[in-house]
Amino acid sequence: VQLQASGGGLVQAGGSLRLSCAASGRTFSSYAMGWFRQAPGKEREFVAAINWNGGSTKYGDSVKGRFTISRDNAKNTVYLQMNSLKPEDTAVYYCAADKAYWGTTNLAYDYDYWGQGTQVTVSS
């Protein structure tokens, strides 16, 4: 599966952005999906994950209550709604697909496919 992330940009602190990740192929619902981010000089960080039908989600501690992951299997797309953005949310955001479709793993090495990343910059 090929993944294409979009929706990044520059936003002021307190603002919102919605990221999208479009997947190719007709087997999108066979994958759990995740979002990760990486800031300069830092390790890749888990943001959120969603299982194949959206019935289970998981969030990183730093984004709980502010970010929401969702998916539309008819559109082969997973979303990340980001509200109350903070400067520390600045990073390149990556979407990823996991063949273990029933799960919501927060471990990067569990994911089988990765998108190219989209830059999110939050100004103070």
Side-chain angles (χ1 to χ4, degrees):
V1 63
Q2 292 185 322
L3 305 173
Q4 180 74 37
S6 62
L10 174 64
V11 64
Q12 288 187 333
S16 298
L17 278 176
R18 188 176 81 156
L19 304 184
S20 299
C21 175
S24 63
R26 295 179 290 178
T27 59
F28 178 69
S29 60
S30 299
Y31 296 91
M33 299 297 296
W35 286 97
F36 290 77
R37 66 187 183 186
Q38 189 165 20
K42 295 188 177 181
E43 294 186 352
R44 190 165 294 192
E45 177 189 11
F46 170 73
V47 175
I50 188 167
N51 75 336
W52 71 280
N53 66 354
S56 179
T57 58
K58 182 182 292 180
Y59 295 92
D61 289 341
S62 62
V63 306
K64 281 180 182 176
R66 300 188 298 122
F67 291 11
T68 303
I69 189 171
S70 61
R71 65 189 297 160
D72 185 338
N73 287 343
K75 296 182 178 180
N76 284 9
T77 302
V78 62
Y79 304 98
L80 185 68
Q81 178 66 44
M82 306 186 295
N83 298 330
S84 302
L85 283 161
K86 304 175 182 180
E88 51 264 45
D89 293 319
T90 295
V92 176
Y93 283 71
Y94 299 89
C95 59
D98 176 14
K99 292 180 181 178
Y101 60 91
W102 57 90
T104 53
T105 181
N106 60 347
L107 301 174
Y109 61 72
D110 281 336
Y111 288 83
D112 303 286
Y113 304 98
W114 291 82
Q116 87 291 358
T118 185
Q119 176 71 46
V120 171
T121 302
V122 184
S123 63
S124 57

